[in-house]
């Protein structure tokens, strides 16, 4: 793999807080290694800005290993950038070439208000989880790992759904700002396992009610969410969520 350095033009969204109108500002960065991650490139830019006595760009990050879901950026019109199935922190600069102009902005959804620059408030996702994304567990010693037999097919499906990192790319890509892919992943991985059975009838109802309360839009099955998901969460989970919701609505005690 060829290593090279590049000079880039960055157009980055700057916004003081959610109550102030933001705008794009243009920055020049030079000698950026093709082996840097996108966030490392931002580190270089921020060091440059601090050295010049300017305010650095605020952006979310944590593990930088593609697990935490914090690195939420819209890059050249696509959540997390041009690579499929990749988070921003795992996006390397070899995805670009010398002289490129890169436009970076935060998620655009009313339910994700901008806190500052590229940082948005994704607390709505936390409140959806609090509404029903949990299981009942008795206190005491943990059960043996093989104590509850689970079919491998269901275990694999549950694992694939549980891979959701809650980054919000699905919401950012959806024309309706729907959170259905996120919510369906959280409902699916519990619905597929026996540990999720105690709250099964109420989970989908409560979580969907909270999603609506947070102001997310409806799903119209365009598939944009699946296309940009860094963990490649399947639309099959939305079908399973709908089944869980209809089943619960039809059988739960009024």
């Amino acid at each position: 793999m060829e290593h090279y350095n590049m000079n880039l033009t960055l157009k980055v969204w700057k916004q003081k807080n959610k109550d102030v109108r933001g705008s794009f500002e243009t920055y020049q960065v030079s000698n950026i290694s093709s082996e840097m991650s996108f966030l490392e490139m931002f580190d270089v830019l921020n060091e440059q800005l601090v050295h010049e006595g300017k305010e650095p760009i605020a952006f979310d990050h944590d593990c930088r290993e593609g697990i935490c879901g914090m690195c939420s950026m819209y890059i050249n019109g696509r959540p997390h950038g041009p690579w499929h199935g990749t988070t921003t922190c795992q996006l390397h600069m070899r995805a670009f070439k010398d002289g490129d102009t890169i436009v970076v902005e935060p998620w655009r959804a009313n339910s994700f208000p901008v806190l500052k620059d590229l940082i948005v408030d994704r607390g709505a996702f936390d409140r959806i989880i609090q509404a029903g994304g949990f299981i009942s567990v008795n206190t005491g010693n943990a059960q043996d790992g093989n104590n509850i037999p689970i079919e491998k097919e269901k275990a694999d499906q549950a694992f694939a759904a549980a891979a959701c990192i809650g980054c919000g790319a699905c919401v950012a890509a959806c024309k309706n700002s729907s959170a259905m892919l996120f919510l369906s992943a959280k409902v699916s991985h519990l619905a597929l396992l026996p540990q999720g059975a105690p709250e099964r009838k109420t989970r989908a109802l409560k979580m969907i009610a909270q999603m609506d309360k947070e102001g997310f839009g409806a799903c119209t099955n365009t598939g944009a969410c699946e296309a940009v998901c860094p963990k490649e969460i399947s639309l099959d989970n939305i079908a399973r969520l709908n089944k869980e919701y209809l089943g619960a609505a039809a059988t739960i005690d009024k």
Side-chain angles (χ1 to χ4, degrees):
M1 185 179 297
E2 180 185 2
H3 172 267
Y4 57 94
N5 290 336
M6 65 190 89
N7 300 325
L8 301 165
T9 299
L10 301 176
K11 293 185 177 181
V12 182
W13 185 261
K14 291 285 289 179
Q15 185 170 335
K16 186 175 181 180
N17 55 55
K18 64 180 180 180
D19 299 318
V20 176
R21 182 183 295 273
S23 62
F24 283 103
E25 293 193 12
T26 302
Y27 304 93
Q28 304 293 330
V29 288
S30 56
N31 294 320
I32 297 298
S33 169
S34 59
E35 298 310 300
M36 283 183 177
S37 73
F38 199 84
L39 296 190
E40 287 173 333
M41 180 273 293
F42 258 86
D43 291 338
V44 170
L45 172 58
N46 276 344
E47 288 182 7
Q48 174 183 312
L49 292 175
V50 170
H51 182 73
E52 295 172 355
K54 300 177 181 178
E55 185 179 25
I57 298 164
F59 63 93
D60 256 336
H61 63 98
D62 191 4
C63 73
R64 299 202 178 195
E65 295 178 347
I67 299 171
C68 71
M70 297 288 287
C71 54
S72 305
M73 296 183 190
Y74 227 97
I75 303 168
N76 283 349
R78 181 184 173 92
H80 294 296
W83 284 358
H84 183 72
T86 306
T87 55
T88 300
C89 62
Q90 298 290 287
L91 175 69
H92 284 73
M93 295 309 297
R94 57 180 176 270
F96 307 95
K97 59 182 185 295
D98 184 39
D100 276 356
T101 296
I102 305 174
V103 180
V104 188
E105 54 191 311
W107 291 164
R108 302 295 191 183
N110 289 337
S111 301
F112 290 159
V114 176
L115 296 179
K116 185 173 183 178
D117 299 344
L118 303 176
I119 300 175
V120 300
D121 181 0
R122 290 176 297 152
F125 272 10
D126 296 329
R127 292 186 289 274
I128 291 174
I129 294 296
Q130 290 167 3
F134 52 83
I135 63 172
S136 294
V137 178
N138 295 325
T139 57
N141 293 334
Q143 289 184 331
D144 181 80
N146 296 317
N147 195 42
I148 304 177
I150 300 171
E151 300 170 39
K152 185 179 187 304
E153 182 181 356
K154 286 189 175 181
D156 289 344
Q157 291 174 348
F159 184 87
C164 171
I165 57 177
C167 67
C170 51
V171 175
C174 179
K175 65 179 182 179
N176 304 321
S177 297
S178 173
M180 282 288 279
L181 192 67
F182 162 79
L183 194 156
S184 67
K186 300 306 179 184
V187 167
S188 286
H189 92 263
L190 295 176
L192 286 162
L193 300 176
Q195 291 91 336
E199 293 87 11
R200 187 170 183 177
K201 286 188 175 181
T202 59
R203 179 177 294 113
L205 297 176
K206 289 182 177 179
M207 294 180 74
I208 287 178
Q210 186 64 38
M211 179 185 70
D212 292 340
K213 183 179 179 181
E214 297 292 343
F216 291 103
C219 174
T220 48
N221 294 305
T222 61
C225 52
E226 182 184 48
V228 302
C229 176
K231 297 303 174 181
E232 301 178 286
I233 303 298
S234 172
L235 285 176
D236 291 345
N237 291 299
I238 295 181
R240 186 175 294 109
L241 170 63
N242 289 332
K243 179 181 178 181
E244 290 290 314
Y245 181 83
L246 292 174
T251 61
I252 194 168
D253 294 332
K254 302 297 182 181

